[in-house]
Amino acid sequence: MSSLGIIKFVIRQINQVQQGGFMELVRKLVKFLRLTLRIPIGGLVVSICYLIKPLITIRFGHLYTSRIGHLCVNMDNYIYARRERGGSRELGVFRTDKRISNTAIFTMWSKHKGILFSNFAEFPLYFLEKYIPNSTMQISFNLEMGPIFSLASISPKNLKISVTDEQKIDKLLQEQNINSPYICLHNRDSAYLNFYGSDGNFHDYRDFDFDDFKLGINQLADSGLMSVRVGEKVKHESRIVNEKFISITGSDRSDFSDVALITKCLFFVGSNTGFSNISRVLRKPELLINYTPLEIGRLSIYSCDSLILPKKIYKLDEQRYLSFSEIMSLSYNIHYQGDFFSDMGLLLENNSQTEISEAIMEMWARVAGNWQDSEAQSQLQNQFWKSVDNVKYSNLVHHQLNINICSTFLERNSFMI
């Protein structure tokens, strides 16, 4: 920092103290002490951890708790990876964000053996990142918490529901008059990020209207199944009227109710959002509709035995739909600054109510063990997976995680294969 920059920094700090008074001064002093002590305290903690390693392995990481997807999947992946390498004597100490996106899930993770949440982890983490960046004492985000592919969803459930929680869940269902089998439904819109703040990336291409579920909800009701809308923030209240449909969102829901309802549902219907990852940690099958972009390896962040209903993508200058292989070869990057699809001359087409309804009924039949692909559907599934055989992780996604594209969708859109 230049001399002029230092002077401007000092003046800014003085002005902020003058405006904020004594409490602002205290806050800045605490922050200064933390910054000053990060290296000596961090170094001391790291040294102690090395000395006691023969007795217990202590490692440090950062869990991004402000986003529900990270809160769910990153911890689930870590626990799975730790168990796979036999880390029974390992204690994972995690610093967190200021905001906890779901306090119920956070509390359940905190009760897991070998997991400790403490922002004191900031000190050793800073020391490790600065002086020993390749140390195994630091929990790797890329390799352990957020790898491109993971088989965690076919492992035993890591998020445990206690006996007390089970009783609370049963009470909640009684209070909501949910007395028959049901599914949970969630749609992605801009309300959540508008309220909590964006991560700087463009997400609106994943949006769709909840009332696109109308035909599916009515068909489920005719078959005796209830439908429950879940989610914290919603842009529009549903206009669907059916005695077997209820909405438990906004002020009517809680962090616990979201977990409780998904725990007991037959399956979850959503899209590729962080909220859908609640199903993954609960090992609940899910139908992901309006799914885009279609990246095979990324499907492992959702539950095994899940079903995918992708959006179609129309290439405007050639006046045609893209094939699956073309969709998967798009150089999409979540950190692209702008609307990637629009800028590439591509138009995303949301799933129709008919496609969604057919997919929901197919998912129900699969979960109930009553689904059997027709000969034509079986051939289309084989053709699809053969067409992506060269895509990394496709074999594991299909055969180990048992994730499929909706057969009804393939039948309607065989030209995409």
Side-chain angles (χ1 to χ4, degrees), residues 61-75 94-101 106 117 129 141 145:
H62 183 180
L63 183 63
Y64 295 93
T65 55
S66 59
R67 291 287 182 253
I68 185 69
H70 286 296
L71 174 63
C72 291
V73 172
N74 292 164
M75 183 55 69
F94 295 87
R95 64 171 297 193
T96 66
D97 300 334
K98 288 184 178 180
R99 193 175 80 84
I100 308 298
S101 53
F106 181 78
F117 293 115
E129 290 168 356
F141 180 86
M145 300 180 72

Side-chain angles (χ1 to χ4, degrees), residues 270-364:
S271 58
N272 50 328
T273 68
F275 190 89
S276 298
N277 295 136
I278 298 176
S279 286
R280 201 264 210 153
V281 295
L282 293 170
R283 305 294 186 260
K284 186 67 62 173
E286 47 194 320
L287 165 62
L288 299 167
I289 72 170
N290 284 309
Y291 195 98
T292 194
L294 186 58
E295 300 171 292
I296 293 293
R298 294 289 295 169
L299 293 177
S300 73
I301 68 174
Y302 303 103
S303 300
C304 62
D305 301 321
S306 290
L307 206 55
I308 310 300
L309 182 62
K311 287 189 180 186
K312 294 197 286 284
I313 302 179
Y314 192 78
K315 191 169 176 60
L316 292 170
D317 61 351
E318 297 180 12
Q319 297 186 6
R320 67 175 181 87
Y321 289 102
L322 296 185
S323 67
F324 283 116
S325 59
E326 288 175 314
I327 290 173
M328 282 181 276
S329 65
L330 291 173
S331 57
Y332 170 79
N333 186 323
I334 192 172
H335 301 298
Y336 176 83
Q337 296 301 303
D339 184 341
F340 172 84
F341 297 99
S342 178
D343 293 347
M344 292 288 288
L346 302 172
L347 181 65
L348 294 172
E349 183 177 300
N350 283 1
N351 301 136
S352 67
Q353 282 204 32
T354 299
E355 288 175 332
I356 294 171
S357 176
E358 288 177 344
I360 288 175
M361 300 308 287
E362 177 182 339
M363 185 66 182
W364 180 32

